[in-house]
Amino acid sequence: MNFHWTDIAAALHKAAMPFAAILASSLLTLNAANAGSISKIDARDGLITVSFDGFVEGATTFSLAGPDRIAIDVKGGKAGRGGYAAGMIKSVRQGQYEPNIARIVFDLDRPAVITGGGFTADGKRLKLRLQTVGDNALAKGRKSFVPPAQFRAEPPKNSYSVKVPLGKPQDKVALPKVSGPKDPSRPLVVIDAGHGGHDPGAISPHGSQREKDITLAISRAVRDQLVASGRVRVAMTRNSDKYLVLEERYGIARRLDADLFISIHADAAGNQSAAGATVYTLSEVASDREAAKLAARENRSNIINGVNLGASNQDVSSILIDLTQRETMNVSADFAKLLIREGQRLIKFRTNPHRFASLVVLKAPDTPSVLFESGYLTNKEDVQLLSSRAGQTKVAIGIANAIEAHFARKLAQR
Ligand code: ZN
């Protein structure tokens, strides 16, 4: 992930940053203080009321079938938690879909559409009318609502931008080599070295260490450990300094029919004392604010000059985590726990090391996936460990042990 924008701005004054780092910071600056948070959701038959504690830019709604849902994207809004649902609305959840967009999803017990409504005169509430429809009458497309102009939040300004010619992501990246036993019945793990190419990820305070190099070194070390013990097959999404969009990364795992996907990263924090490893699994709603922010930073790997190179933003249904993903998510969570248990002799974890966030790279519906944040490049001890061959090997052995234990357990369960 990258530094927060403000951290990068500060760092730029101190030292000349590599061009790639400047490029990676060409992100929308989000004035979180201006965003209105969702303070209350009340959904009952025929009427949805969403209340805000500040101004938002606007909202769009859309319907989804199988299972029946209605979603509201609140632009310039911050997600809160929970909400009240009754009647035909079975449940409501919310999460930070993009840094500037809060998404609310209502689960319905029958198909319905938004027939009208709007913001109240003070811009603090959005009231929407809901009507049930036949199975085939679901409206396509979105409905938009904006608050009155004087109570509307300003869209964030793009305060830093570098324009560079950029190759389009390849339609289909070549599948990587599979290492290890030739027996295709052996389980296959795909190791994803985070970032790469024009996207350096996090950078240590003086610019000497880049996340993309550390993730590649650790990934190679994990592969070497697994190949040496010969129990599982292993492939890497990248084995050079190249850029892949997030969908290409899990796409490789899916196309290889992998049994497990691990995306390896290293974090950066404003607080230099933040240290230790964290394991993330997928959830629509983040486990804590920090996890939500991390997901926003990591998901930005797809964005250059405000253009999202990933495919999922066009496909509204694919970004919602569906019930079909539940089994996959359970296996992912089991592996996360195992990684912490097996790895802790070799890896220093943070308190509450298993966290949840809406990370694009974990969204393969059928491949158990975790994102491993190996530590903080802004912490002296962590960066020393993660940039040394000995430290990388230590972390890699911890991960490799957990992978082997995971598959041994799966085999025993059969
Ligand atoms: Zn990262």
Side-chain angles (χ1 to χ4, degrees):
M1 86 214 34
N2 304 302
F3 286 96
H4 288 290
W5 153 249
T6 45
D7 297 329
I8 279 247
L12 281 170
H13 292 294
K14 282 190 217 132
M17 300 284 280
F19 178 70
I22 299 169
L23 171 62
S25 73
S26 63
L27 310 163
L28 290 181
T29 302
L30 299 166
N31 195 342
N34 278 348
S37 294
I38 296 168
S39 54
K40 194 176 160 202
I41 300 171
D42 184 296
R44 53 190 83 208
D45 285 327
L47 188 66
I48 291 171
T49 306
V50 182
S51 307
F52 307 99
D53 67 2
F55 298 150
V56 299
E57 290 170 51
T60 55
T61 66
F62 53 98
S63 302
L64 294 157
D68 294 312
R69 287 157 296 173
I70 278 178
I72 305 175
D73 279 351
V74 181
K75 248 192 138 179
K78 289 284 159 205
R81 273 190 170 268
Y84 175 80
M88 61 174 288
I89 300 168
K90 291 190 293 188
S91 62
V92 50
R93 53 219 144 95
Q94 48 176 312
Q96 201 65 34
Y97 168 53
E98 277 182 13
N100 195 39
I101 297 176
R103 173 163 291 177
I104 309 167
V105 179
F106 300 92
D107 295 304
L108 311 172
D109 68 3
R110 71 200 89 133
V113 293
I114 300 287
T115 54
F119 280 88
T120 51
D122 62 0
K124 293 287 183 72
R125 260 175 297 170
L126 173 64
K127 292 186 166 196
L128 298 170
R129 286 188 301 278
L130 196 65
Q131 199 171 12
T132 56
V133 291
D135 274 339
N136 301 319
L138 275 189
K140 294 263 185 293
R142 291 174 175 245
K143 274 198 165 66
S144 295
F145 303 91
V146 289
Q150 68 271 36
F151 299 117
R152 195 181 303 158
E154 288 280 315
K157 302 255 183 315
N158 209 350
S159 66
Y160 199 107
S161 181
V162 181
K163 293 259 188 289
V164 286
L166 192 80
K168 280 186 118 176
Q170 286 169 265
D171 279 347
K172 231 178 197 179
V173 291
L175 282 177
K177 177 179 155 227
V178 176
S179 309
K182 292 280 166 268
D183 176 2
S185 71
R186 294 292 181 96
L188 172 66
V189 57
V190 169
I191 310 288
D192 172 47
H195 310 275
H198 70 254
D199 170 21
I203 295 170
S204 65
H206 301 291
S208 58
Q209 297 299 331
R210 300 176 300 184
E211 181 182 358
K212 67 172 184 175
D213 304 320
I214 287 172
T215 61
L216 183 56
I218 295 174
S219 300
R220 283 176 175 152
V222 173
R223 177 203 57 196
D224 294 346
Q225 289 298 326
L226 292 171
V227 168
S229 69
R231 294 188 184 94
V232 303
R233 297 180 298 143
V234 52
M236 297 169 69
T237 54
R238 69 176 178 97
N239 191 16
S240 62
D241 183 19
K242 77 173 175 190
Y243 174 76
L244 292 167
V245 295
L246 300 168
E247 288 79 359
E248 287 169 336
R249 296 171 186 269
Y250 70 67
I252 287 171
R254 296 193 70 200
R255 284 157 64 205
L256 286 174
D257 199 18
D259 302 284
L260 189 62
F261 174 83
I262 306 175
S263 188
I264 296 184
H265 290 257
D267 211 338
N271 170 9
Q272 292 185 3
S273 64
T278 321
V279 186
Y280 286 89
T281 53
L282 182 65
S283 163
E284 241 170 55
V285 178
S287 53
D288 51 279
R289 279 187 91 79
E290 204 188 322
K293 283 185 186 166
L294 173 123
R297 293 198 295 271
E298 289 292 9
N299 292 343
R300 273 184 221 159
S301 177
N302 271 3
I303 299 173
I304 288 291
N305 290 335
V307 177
N308 192 333
L309 302 177
S312 71
N313 64 331
Q314 262 89 43
D315 181 6
V316 285
S317 59
S318 74
I319 35 133
L320 292 160
I321 300 161
D322 248 316
L323 291 171
T324 50
Q325 269 174 267
R326 226 166 238 175
E327 173 55 22
T328 310
M329 287 162 81
N330 288 343
V331 179
S332 307
D334 285 348
F335 176 72
K337 288 183 203 121
L338 187 68
L339 175 54
I340 293 158
R341 208 186 65 208
E342 288 291 315
Q344 65 187 358
R345 275 169 291 132
L346 295 155
I347 301 165
K348 192 185 84 184
F349 285 97
R350 303 167 62 199
T351 45
N352 301 325
H354 181 194
R355 299 188 186 211
F356 304 87
S358 183
L359 289 149
V360 171
V361 78
L362 301 181
K363 285 188 175 174
D366 43 10
T367 315
S369 307
V370 304
L371 185 142
F372 176 75
E373 290 284 352
S374 49
Y376 287 85
L377 298 191
T378 38
N379 177 267
K380 239 181 166 169
E381 286 79 39
D382 275 10
V383 75
Q384 251 165 30
L385 176 90
L386 296 173
S387 58
S388 72
R389 180 57 84 92
Q392 291 160 356
T393 306
K394 203 170 151 189
V395 170
I397 294 172
I399 297 171
N401 285 349
I403 291 169
E404 292 183 341
H406 171 75
F407 288 124
R409 186 155 83 178
K410 291 252 135 225
L411 204 67
Q413 280 169 355
R414 242 183 251 161

